């Protein structure tokens, strides 16, 4: 927040109420359910409530029939937010510059804590605290939501999650802060500049998960610059006669190992600075869709649905895994059909070239692209359905399984044809052509689908809303009154997380690390893509989507693993490409066996070296290791002192 | 201990003093140093002392000139031991069956805690506590050991470690407990039985590090049984015509991955049961030999020698690494000379076979074995010297670097010749012969050098001592009085840790996993070796060596990594052996290239599968994960309650 707060006319008479989070309830919700929910939210903590402030949002300027009247604004007192921060184990900067878990009793020793503390917790943190408090609002006895006998509640069960799964609560989202958003978007992408992204401000406004994504995007772009710089002369000065790519492949190979190791360090630095590195996660609650027979959780002792792990494993290995393998086989089959068609069309064109056969030449590629896109879409739905059906207890485990499924399939779809061209057809000219086509088209399509289309839709809705309001009075600065602002944001699309963004980066990383030695311009294209990606992603975060809740991530999670797996594949691929190059073949004129054995030996050596490097480069920079060790040491010492006092006293 | 304690006539008038640890000071130590040291040990904790009991050991029955008079016995009061246990963060079984960090304030909630608590802490634990308290006895100001101006002390510096490095303190060792030792050795190896080793009793007497070694030895032996069972019919029923080893190699490959993963789980179970799995280690102090410029440790803020990490890295990469590589090269060179000599001798014998050329045939092998042994010995000294010179701050880091150096060299020495025979000479008959020779000779030599030789030496010393004592009076039950017992133990060899034992297992694991498909009896030989190894190791622990201090290990440390590296090499080797088999070659009669490509593809697939398996099999069994999560959850809940009280109060 850096000293600014929402300056809004309070919706109710209570002074100082700052709306942070919006709850949208079903428009046909029963009265008693609303009364019950609001009282649970307002009740003091010793009565099992959340002790938050909540107000009903009044009707808009010109209320319509369709408008949902059941929008509620949630806020909290300053004291409540602080105790919530302690509850969450939020790490803040201490007076000595280290990051420590915030405690109310120790609050004055934290940097930036100034009595009223307006700038101590960022708005994103406040919203995260409120979300946490709402999520952990639990039923006290076995009952049901008043007015909804089918919405059963068990002691210790999260109320909000049950309301969400029964569609009584339609959505819960944090409010944007127009002023801060304007400043952020200006420093982020509106001014033309050569500076880095304002990662701290992004983290401040969107939380650590988002900031880490943009940090990774930026890091990845910079890491590609050397590749791009080497690639350009290769391309321009005729180095690109496909025979001399050995040096490039070797460079590639070292590059993709080193940048991933260094990213781990950079990520640890960022996470330390943002206080998420050593934060302890609270015990994770089951995800809303999780179901099972009611029993006692062996860890918490609370009553909650239980689902046997063995059953889940059976579903994964006997249904999901065969399904994924089948899809991969299908994808391979479609690819083979494509290559057959391609060959067939080419032979027709070569036999008797006319205008129509020239057009025909494009048809297999176009058909293949369309089929691939359709298969991708269907597979994505199937993967989501299957992962839901696997009935994972934790959101994180659900996400990991979904990411893995989608990742493997996308990898296959994108790269199978390239591998086929490179290693079965051994046609480097075609490989280069396909790579260029894939990179350029996917880049253009993505940017369009991701940002401009949703923006255009949003803009239309926005204009309608402004026009509606302007019907009654002239607005100063085009600022909408709160009621309209909230309704407008409620209508915005929901940001579904960084999944698709990471997936895109993953595929780009694949193109560069696997095949850029054949097409050295790939790195240049990816750098250009990433630069526009920063702008379009920033733009869509600020203007197209609802504000997402902050996600206190300490690293990029399963994606680190995915990128590392890709870099291992890159080592193998590059070695094979080197082994196939005429240059290297020239060293073994008489024996192909010798050539292959040497290539394999070198590849094994490089893989071993890669693993040794992974071990040798510490994941956390030394100075942060020392800071973490110091905090650990101090807490042990404090414990010891307590013991001494006990023994002596 | 299980309810028994040393029943000894107290050496001093103080009743209930139980000697646990012996300090042997230099025989020519200055009087003032002794007085100062004893007072520091006896001083109460608030004065910076260790608050332990310490007694001078009287002279033996028939004191000799050579006998060192400066032997001291250290013990502690029951209260002091309990507070020491809390200090160390010892985990004990709680009343609900889980393992928790012991705290004095909570002592009655621990299982087996009975007021006087004689059986609550084992003797090994008490000795470990005393060692910890002595080790952390620190100098209060900048001074020197009284009487030794050259033995400087700085505030916060461990006194005992400085005395040790200046050879004022000759040794510090825990006392054996004759009665318990007798019972342990009876249940361990003296009765003929088909039961498992008494791991809990071993842990009880020797600590977790030793018990994990014996647990691993036992596990490894059982894991080998299926291999041995398959190996015997292979050998007996003429399956061993070297052509049909494909099935065996495939089995081998799965086996070595699976057993290591399962061991991780077994090790976690044992460590959980023994309370070392989730124990937090205190901040590690610098090892005695560490030196550097005096400065402030960035973590503790205490004054201690500092040594720049960059300098250490330079020493490692510019001196140690080249030295190791040079030694490996030398070892390779010696091997090549051996093969040349072998070939030359064989050709002489073939040309004109006489008795003398028959003798000559053995000479290269014998010479090679002798040279290898000598090189091993010299290298070991060099490795220790270099690792010392690298000046590692921590004992653990010193150990890791030493293990790595010795491991790589030993691996090379043992396996280079086998690899050469298998892949360069491709002579499976010779490979089989060499493997058998290596296995059988190393087995016999090891058992002899490890147990029987030291035992024989010890027995001679022992008899001398008994004869000396018997000169004065007839001993009942041949039990020696305390003074003689302590002196006898002080003279015993010091057990240097599990390093050599693990190294031996590592090499045996290598023989089996790499080449047993060529010589299926290898597994049988290793099983036999391991059974005798259990007995000889148990025997040497009980009768040859001084009792070692307990080492609260949670796993087998760097050895897990070493075994896993070996299993990766085993996958590669077995794939290569399969690819070379006539059976597989028969599938590719026309193209060697095809054969190699297929072998490499299968090998990559298997390696990938191995890594996926490593990910999929959880390192800690589910039920222990749940127990650990419960403790974590409870401590977070307790924290929250504290917060609530604070907020409401």
């Amino acid at each position: 927040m850096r000293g600014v707060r929402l300056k809004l006319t309070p919706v109710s008479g209570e002074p100082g109420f700052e709306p942070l989070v919006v709850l949208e309830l079903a428009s046909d919700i029963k009265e008693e359910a609303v009364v019950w929910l609001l009282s649970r939210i307002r009740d003091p903590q010793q009565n099992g409530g959340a002790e938050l402030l909540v107000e009903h949002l009044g009707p808009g300027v010109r209320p319509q029939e369709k408008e949902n009247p059941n929008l509620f604004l949630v806020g909290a007192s300053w004291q409540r937010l602080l105790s919530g921060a302690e509850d969450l184990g939020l790490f803040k900067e201490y007076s000595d510059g280290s990051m420590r878990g915030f405690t109310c009793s120790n609050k004055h020793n934290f940097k930036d804590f100034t009595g009223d503390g307006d700038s101590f917790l960022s708005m994103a943190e406040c919203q995260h605290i409120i979300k946490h408090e709402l999520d952990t609002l639990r039923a006290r006895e076995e009952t049901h939501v008043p007015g909804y006998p089918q919405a059963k509640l068990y002691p210790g069960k999260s109320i909000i999650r049950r309301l969400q799964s029964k569609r009584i609560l339609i959505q819960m989202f944090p409010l944007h802060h127009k002023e801060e958003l304007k400043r952020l978007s200006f420093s982020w992408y509106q001014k033309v500049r050569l500076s880095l992204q304002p990662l701290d401000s992004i983290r401040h406004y969107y939380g650590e998960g988002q900031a880490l994504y943009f940090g990774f995007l930026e890091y990845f772009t910079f890491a590609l610059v050397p590749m791009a710089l080497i690639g350009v002369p290769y391309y321009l000065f005729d180095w690109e006669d496909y025979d001399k790519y050995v040096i490039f492949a070797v460079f590639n190979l070292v590059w993709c190992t080193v940048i991933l190791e260094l990213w781990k360090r950079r990520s640890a630095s960022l996470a330390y600075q943002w206080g998420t590195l050593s934060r302890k996660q609270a015990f994770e609650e089951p995800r809303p869709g999780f179901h099972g027979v009611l029993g006692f959780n062996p860890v918490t002792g609370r009553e909650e649905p239980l689902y046997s792990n063995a059953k889940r494993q059976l579903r994964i290995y006997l249904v999901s895994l065969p399904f994924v393998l089948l899809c991969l086989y299908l994808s391979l089959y479609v690819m083979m059909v494509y290559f057959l068609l391609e060959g067939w069309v080419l032979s027709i064109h070569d036999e008797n070239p006319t205008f129509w056969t020239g057009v025909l030449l494009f048809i297999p590629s176009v058909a293949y692209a369309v089929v691939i896109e359709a298969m991708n879409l269907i597979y994505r739905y199937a993967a989501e359905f299957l992962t839901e059906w696997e009935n994972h207890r934790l959101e994180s485990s659900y996400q990991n399984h979904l990411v893995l499924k989608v990742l493997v399939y996308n990898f296959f779809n994108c790269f199978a044809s390239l591998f086929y061209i490179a290693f079965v057809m051994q046609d480097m000219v075609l490989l280069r052509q396909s790579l260029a086509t894939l990179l350029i088209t996917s880049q253009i399509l993505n940017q369009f689908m991701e940002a401009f289309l949703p923006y255009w839709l949003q803009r239309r809705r926005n204009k309608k809303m402004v026009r509606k309001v302007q019907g009654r009075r002239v607005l100063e600065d085009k600022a909408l009154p709160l009621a309209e602002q909230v309704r407008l944001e409620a209508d915005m699309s929901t940001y579904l997380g960084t999944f698709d963004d990471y997936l895109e980066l993953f595929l780009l990383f694949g193109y560069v690390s696997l095949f850029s030695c054949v097409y050295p311009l790939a790195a240049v294209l990816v750098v250009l893509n990433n630069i526009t990606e920063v702008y379009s992603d920033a733009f869509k975060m600020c203007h197209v989507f609802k504000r997402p809740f902050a996600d206190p991530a300490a690293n990029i999670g399963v994606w680190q693993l995915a990128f590392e797996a890709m870099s291992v594949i890159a080592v193998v691929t590059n070695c094979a490409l080197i082994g196939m190059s005429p240059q290297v073949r020239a060293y073994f004129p008489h024996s192909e066996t010798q050539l292959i054995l040497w290539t394999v030996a070198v590849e094994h050596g490089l893989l071993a070296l890669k693993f040794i490097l992974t071990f040798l480069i510490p994941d956390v920079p030394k100075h942060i290791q020392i800071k973490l060790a110091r905090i650990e040491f101090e807490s042990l010492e404090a414990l010891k002192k307590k013991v001494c006092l006990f023994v002596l006293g």
Side-chain angles (χ1 to χ4, degrees), chain A:
Chain A
M1 296 286 296
R2 313 219 166 221
V4 268
R5 270 283 166 122
L6 274 174
K7 299 256 162 14
L8 294 163
T9 36
V11 248
S12 76
E14 196 172 343
F17 174 72
E18 295 168 351
L20 289 165
V21 172
V22 178
L23 291 178
E24 183 177 355
L25 301 175
S27 54
D28 58 348
I29 191 174
K30 302 232 168 73
E31 187 63 26
E32 61 255 53
V34 176
V35 172
W36 169 79
L37 179 65
L38 295 190
S39 82
R40 286 307 310 273
I41 295 176
R42 284 181 185 137
D43 268 358
Q45 282 186 295
Q46 62 261 60
N47 297 351
E51 213 169 341
L52 300 174
L53 310 172
V54 54
E55 299 287 336
H56 185 237
L57 184 76
V61 177
R62 205 192 278 171
Q64 291 174 313
E65 280 291 305
K66 291 182 298 180
E67 229 171 60
N68 184 352
N70 294 319
L71 284 162
F72 291 86
L73 300 174
V74 186
S77 72
W78 178 239
Q79 278 308 320
R80 184 71 191 84
L81 287 175
L82 286 185
S83 83
E86 179 167 348
D87 223 9
L88 261 176
L90 224 60
F91 269 59
K92 300 293 285 180
E93 195 173 355
Y94 205 63
S95 51
D96 65 354
S98 65
M99 301 298 297
R100 278 156 206 244
F102 176 76
T103 52
C104 289
S105 56
N106 211 2
K107 58 188 172 188
H108 291 289
N109 288 330
F110 282 85
K111 212 180 144 187
D112 297 330
F113 189 89
T114 53
D116 66 333
D118 237 3
S119 65
F120 184 63
L121 294 173
S122 72
M123 187 171 169
E125 278 168 340
C126 294
Q127 289 168 336
H128 183 63
I129 291 166
I130 288 188
K131 175 172 190 284
H132 175 78
E133 296 299 336
L134 287 175
D135 273 347
T136 53
L137 196 61
R138 291 173 199 293
R140 279 165 294 183
E141 62 258 347
E142 197 166 330
T143 172
H144 58 81
V145 177
Y148 294 87
Q150 84 284 12
K152 287 246 163 50
L153 288 167
Y154 306 100
K157 178 99 194 133
S158 164
I159 291 171
I160 292 289
R161 297 200 166 196
R162 175 44 54 105
L163 292 177
Q164 254 172 332
S165 68
K166 290 286 172 192
R167 306 290 304 146
I168 302 170
L169 173 65
I170 291 169
Q171 60 176 344
M172 170 164 90
F173 63 92
L175 271 177
H176 265 300
H177 182 285
K178 280 284 146 187
E179 226 176 285
E180 207 186 339
L181 186 63
K182 214 181 205 169
R183 245 175 307 128
L184 174 66
S185 62
F186 179 75
S187 71
W188 200 357
Y189 65 89
Q190 283 177 347
K191 65 172 182 202
V192 179
R193 85 238 120 88
L194 280 167
S195 63
L196 302 175
Q197 292 176 85
L199 286 185
D200 283 324
S201 308
I202 298 170
R203 177 239 165 185
H204 199 260
Y205 195 81
Y206 288 110
E208 291 78 14
Q210 281 301 320
L212 272 175
Y213 165 69
F214 284 102
F216 182 66
L217 177 56
E218 183 178 291
Y219 173 83
F220 181 44
T221 311
F222 277 103
L224 277 171
V225 167
M227 293 278 279
L229 285 183
I230 300 180
V232 172
Y234 249 83
Y235 192 78
L236 292 181
F237 302 112
D238 236 14
W239 294 1
E240 29 65 271
D241 47 325
Y242 321 125
D243 301 355
K244 291 174 179 161
Y245 54 58
V246 175
I247 308 160
F248 208 83
V250 172
F251 178 75
N252 219 336
L253 209 147
V254 176
W255 172 82
C256 65
T257 303
V258 170
I259 63 152
L260 286 177
E261 280 307 302
L262 293 184
W263 164 251
K264 265 194 238 161
R265 292 166 68 88
R266 167 112 177 102
S267 153
S269 295
L270 287 175
Y272 175 76
Q273 199 180 318
W274 295 337
T276 51
L277 188 62
S278 49
R279 216 188 111 191
K280 264 187 199 162
Q281 283 268 288
F283 186 75
E284 229 180 316
E285 294 293 317
R287 55 189 298 268
F290 179 67
H291 56 85
V293 182
L294 213 67
F296 292 95
N297 182 304
V299 175
T300 59
R302 291 192 196 129
E303 209 172 12
E304 67 168 46
L306 295 182
Y307 188 77
S308 122
N309 202 32
K311 270 195 210 164
R312 186 177 306 125
Q313 299 284 339
L314 279 183
R315 287 184 172 188
I316 292 174
Y317 290 113
L318 294 187
V319 181
S320 298
L321 186 65
F323 175 79
V324 171
L325 292 179
L326 189 77
C327 286
L328 294 182
Y329 177 75
L330 216 79
S331 161
L332 212 62
Y333 193 80
V334 168
M335 187 190 84
M336 296 311 294
V337 169
Y338 159 66
F339 279 116
L340 274 179
L341 274 182
E342 182 91 29
W344 180 65
V345 165
L346 211 68
S347 71
I348 288 181
H349 182 70
D350 282 352
E351 255 175 41
N352 180 18
T354 66
F355 169 75
W356 291 110
T357 57
V359 172
L360 203 64
L361 273 181
F362 285 95
I363 290 191
S365 302
V366 172
Y368 183 57
V370 169
V371 169
I372 282 278
E373 212 41 54
M375 279 168 68
N376 253 338
L377 214 68
I378 297 170
Y379 179 82
R380 182 69 175 270
Y381 279 109
E384 272 170 22
F385 174 80
L386 274 178
T387 317
E388 185 71 51
W389 177 73
E390 285 166 14
N391 200 14
H392 293 275
R393 187 181 167 276
L394 299 182
E395 185 62 34
S396 56
S397 142
Y398 171 84
Q399 285 297 338
N400 287 350
H401 279 261
L402 183 61
V403 167
L404 191 68
K405 283 196 190 75
V406 176
L407 212 64
V408 168
Y409 189 74
N410 270 277
F411 177 81
F412 222 73
N413 257 351
C414 282
F415 295 108
S417 63
L418 295 177
F419 276 111
Y420 187 81
I421 296 171
F423 298 115
V424 182
M425 298 167 71
Q426 307 210 351
D427 183 343
M428 292 301 144
V429 182
L430 184 60
L431 178 60
R432 189 185 170 208
Q433 214 171 296
S434 309
L435 197 63
T437 319
L438 264 171
L439 261 175
I440 295 170
T441 52
S442 78
Q443 185 168 338
I444 293 171
L445 261 176
N446 264 320
Q447 307 277 335
F448 179 76
M449 296 285 284
E450 244 181 55
F452 297 108
L453 194 68
Y455 175 64
W456 181 73
L457 292 172
Q458 181 60 33
R459 221 181 142 83
R460 276 187 51 196
R461 243 182 281 157
N462 218 330
K463 272 195 184 142
K464 232 167 66 190
M465 182 69 87
V466 171
R467 222 177 294 128
K468 195 185 83 179
V469 176
Q470 277 176 333
R472 221 183 61 172
R473 54 168 176 148
V474 182
L475 289 164
E476 328 124 56
D477 269 5
K478 278 194 182 167
L480 290 169
L482 181 65
E484 262 67 36
Q485 183 58 42
V486 170
R487 272 169 222 283
L488 194 68
E489 286 188 25
D491 268 356
M492 285 168 111
S493 327
T494 305
Y495 180 66
L496 293 170
T498 45
F499 186 102
D500 288 295
D501 297 323
Y502 276 120
L503 184 61
E504 205 187 322
L505 285 189
F506 175 74
L507 296 177
L508 291 177
F509 178 71
Y511 289 128
V512 174
S513 61
L514 297 178
F515 295 113
S516 71
C517 60
V518 185
Y519 180 51
L521 270 195
V524 180
L525 285 177
V526 173
V527 167
L528 289 178
N529 176 73
N530 280 5
I531 292 172
T532 56
E533 182 84 19
V534 168
Y535 284 89
S536 72
D537 280 355
F539 178 77
K540 81 178 183 199
M541 287 306 299
C542 293
H543 288 283
V544 178
F545 289 118
K546 270 190 204 95
R547 184 174 188 171
F549 277 109
D551 153 33
N555 49 51
I556 62 173
V558 66
W559 291 103
Q560 180 78 39
L561 209 68
F563 277 82
E564 268 163 31
M566 180 68 96
S567 82
V568 171
I569 299 173
V571 170
V572 178
T573 310
N574 278 297
C575 282
L577 287 174
I578 293 172
M580 278 161 51
S581 75
Q583 274 177 307
V584 173
R585 272 170 200 254
Y587 282 100
F588 301 93
H590 305 302
S591 163
E592 205 173 19
T593 310
Q594 282 289 320
L595 165 69
I596 296 174
L597 286 180
W598 270 104
T599 309
V600 171
V602 168
E603 184 237 351
H604 278 75
L606 285 172
L607 279 179
L609 188 72
K610 191 177 152 57
F611 281 100
I612 293 172
L613 264 185
T614 312
F615 260 105
L616 284 186
I617 303 178
D619 287 356
V620 177
K622 190 84 186 166
H623 68 278
I624 292 177
Q625 276 179 28
I626 289 176
K627 281 178 188 160
L628 292 177
R630 188 162 59 210
I631 292 175
E632 182 79 355
F633 173 76
E634 280 171 17
S635 77
L636 279 175
E637 285 296 292
L639 201 76
K640 261 188 209 164
K641 257 174 215 150
K642 218 180 68 193
V643 174
C644 284
L645 285 176
F646 172 79
V647 171
L648 300 171

